Amino acid sequence: MLAWGAVAPAQAAAPQKPARLGLCAACHGETGMAQIPGAPNLAGQQLDYLREALKQYRDGRRNVPLMRAAIGPMSDADLDELARWYSAQTPAHQGNP
Amino acid sequence: MLAWGAVAPAQAAAPQKPARLGLCAACHGETGMAQIPGAPNLAGQQLDYLREALKQYRDGRRNVPLMRAAIGPMSDADLDELARWYSAQTPAHQGNP
């Protein structure tokens, strides 16, 4: 008997991996855990906060040239997809100094 | 027999609750999980990122009047204590839309 009922609804609702994730992942990781000093973790961050922060990086209110260069060419839909992806990740436990 | 050896080193190393935590906690929670729309989670955030963000809110590079008002009167030592506190918290799992 096929156990089709075993597909977890929570997993079915998780966002698909964004097409533009690679650039972000270099510093923030694919699952939103920072890979380099100075970069924030994004895993599980509030969706509305991520959306607003991305807008601020794109328009220069948060003046971080690297982020502006990375985000500038992206569409609103791209940014929304990335915000949803990172917000949906579960933070990994990590030691902090 | 006294089980003094049962004190976990990890707990012993955790920072003490900062004296100025109350103001922050109104929006970010005592353990760094956001309490209001628009506020970010801070639990487990990278320590260097939190320190830099706090400086930027205080000097206006991140122009958020509420944050500037909250942080302006605080000393560097206060800010460092708060950054350490929130960085040491473990993010709670939460649903995101």
Side-chain angles (χ1 to χ4, degrees):
Chain A
M1 177 177 162
L2 288 173
W4 60 268
V7 175
Q11 292 227 341
Q16 279 207 311
K17 193 178 281 194
R20 311 297 291 261
L21 185 60
L23 188 58
C24 315
C27 299
H28 298 286
E30 282 217 345
T31 60
M33 299 306 289
Q35 304 294 301
I36 60 163
N41 300 330
L42 303 178
Q45 188 52 276
Q46 300 292 325
L47 181 56
D48 57 355
Y49 175 80
L50 287 181
R51 284 174 167 149
E52 178 61 23
L54 283 169
K55 281 187 211 163
Q56 294 184 359
Y57 285 120
R58 190 166 61 174
D59 69 19
R61 274 177 291 163
R62 286 195 188 185
N63 186 17
V64 179
L66 188 149
M67 281 297 292
R68 198 167 191 177
I71 288 175
M74 291 193 195
S75 69
D76 285 351
D78 285 334
L79 296 188
D80 193 68
E81 196 180 21
L82 289 161
R84 287 182 180 278
W85 169 264
Y86 279 124
S87 182
Q89 305 304 308
T90 300
H93 186 62
Q94 59 174 9
N96 268 294
Chain B
M1 176 179 162
L2 287 173
W4 60 270
V7 175
Q11 293 226 341
Q16 279 207 311
K17 193 177 283 195
R20 311 295 292 262
L21 185 60
L23 188 58
C24 315
C27 299
H28 299 286
E30 282 217 345
T31 60
M33 299 306 289
Q35 304 295 300
I36 61 162
N41 300 329
L42 302 177
Q45 188 52 276
Q46 300 292 325
L47 181 56
D48 57 355
Y49 175 80
L50 288 181
R51 285 174 167 149
E52 179 60 23
L54 284 168
K55 281 187 211 164
Q56 294 183 0
Y57 285 119
R58 189 165 62 173
D59 69 19
R61 275 178 291 163
R62 288 196 187 184
N63 186 17
V64 179
L66 188 150
M67 281 297 292
R68 198 166 191 176
I71 288 175
M74 291 193 195
S75 69
D76 285 351
D78 285 333
L79 295 187
D80 192 69
E81 197 181 21
L82 289 161
R84 286 181 180 279
W85 170 265
Y86 279 123
S87 181
Q89 304 304 308
T90 300
H93 186 61
Q94 59 175 9
N96 269 295

